[in-house]
Amino acid sequence: MAMRPEIPERPTAQQVMQDAPVIPVIVLSAREQAVPMARALVAGGIRMLEVTLRTPVALACIEAIAREVPEAVVGAGTLRSAADAQAAALAGARFAVSPGYTRSVGKACHELGLALLPGVATGSEIMMAQEDGYTALKFFPALQAGGLAMLKAWSGPFNDVRFCPTGGITPHNAAEFLALPNVACVGGSWLTPADALAAGDWARVTRLASEAAALRRV
Ligand code: 3PG
């Protein structure tokens, strides 16, 4: 396999999006799952890992991955406040993803030097994020908010924006999204199914990651 480029300690949002075709959206319910799961994803070729701040163990999981899996780049997802941004950075997150956008989240991430992929679903939200310097955006929830047709419509007025559609993306429709010129990567939870995590089925996680890593982008 070709050597992958080194990821800087503080990657840019563009580097986060360009590393692989898919950013896994991860929900961990036990601290013990974090390290073997991260190693399984890296073994499959996926190293940008979005651990969502949705469970009580999320920050501990981010900390464990940051400490024990140096080949991975762990980020925090579901960031909804400046306090979330601070907690994520303290735990060792190297990028952040939010389901929507607020100025206070944007400012906190900027001050922390944490690359942020802000969530947007409307033109006004894109404009607000752009005004604050963000041009690599998560389109969320992608399928529910207009899917491929919405991204095609945005490619005119927002032709300087690159999107990571997330929400409803599957191995079956990912390629259609990745074929759009304004899509840099997609996000999805299918790489880390809850039953595989609970069963410690790391071979399955690696297989799902390899299949995702092999998806083609334009
Ligand atoms: C998210 O939780 O950010 C997305 O909803 C993930 O969506 P999916 O479960 O449809 O991939």
Side-chain angles (χ1 to χ4, degrees):
M1 200 199 277
M3 281 288 282
R4 308 276 297 277
E6 278 282 314
I7 301 292
E9 185 51 38
R10 289 278 176 220
T12 63
Q14 284 74 13
Q15 286 170 322
V16 172
M17 278 193 178
Q18 278 158 14
D19 200 56
V22 184
I23 297 177
V25 178
I26 302 162
V27 180
L28 288 164
S29 59
R31 152 78 180 75
E32 299 67 43
Q33 297 168 351
V35 167
M37 178 218 62
R39 291 192 176 126
L41 288 167
V42 168
I46 301 285
R47 55 184 179 174
M48 292 288 169
L49 316 183
E50 176 191 338
V51 175
T52 57
L53 301 181
R54 292 182 203 177
T55 57
V57 294
L59 288 168
C61 290
I62 290 173
E63 221 169 78
I65 296 169
R67 195 177 48 240
E68 294 177 45
V69 194
E71 321 80 69
V73 178
V74 66
T78 321
L79 213 85
R80 292 184 297 165
S81 64
D84 282 347
Q86 278 142 14
L90 198 66
R94 290 163 65 187
F95 69 92
V97 185
S98 56
Y101 183 69
T102 66
R103 290 242 134 100
S104 65
V105 166
K107 187 164 172 281
C109 287
H110 181 73
E111 286 170 2
L112 290 160
L114 201 56
L116 171 68
L117 274 56
V120 296
T122 67
S124 302
E125 291 161 5
I126 296 172
M127 287 163 65
M128 189 161 66
Q130 272 195 296
E131 267 180 25
D132 293 351
Y134 292 101
T135 55
L137 308 178
K138 163 173 164 163
F139 173 30
F140 177 77
L143 237 72
Q144 299 82 346
L148 294 169
M150 190 72 137
L151 286 159
K152 284 178 192 160
W154 280 343
S155 68
F158 302 118
N159 59 17
D160 49 353
V161 176
R162 290 294 167 274
F163 295 96
C164 171
T166 305
I169 311 296
T170 67
H172 309 289
N173 64 14
E176 289 178 295
F177 282 89
L178 291 166
L180 297 180
N182 58 346
V183 168
C185 67
V186 299
S189 61
W190 82 87
L191 280 68
T192 50
D195 59 337
L197 299 184
D201 190 350
W202 310 124
R204 182 170 163 214
V205 172
T206 296
R207 183 173 47 74
L208 290 166
S210 317
E211 287 164 8
L215 286 164
R216 292 199 45 219
R217 291 183 276 199
V218 287

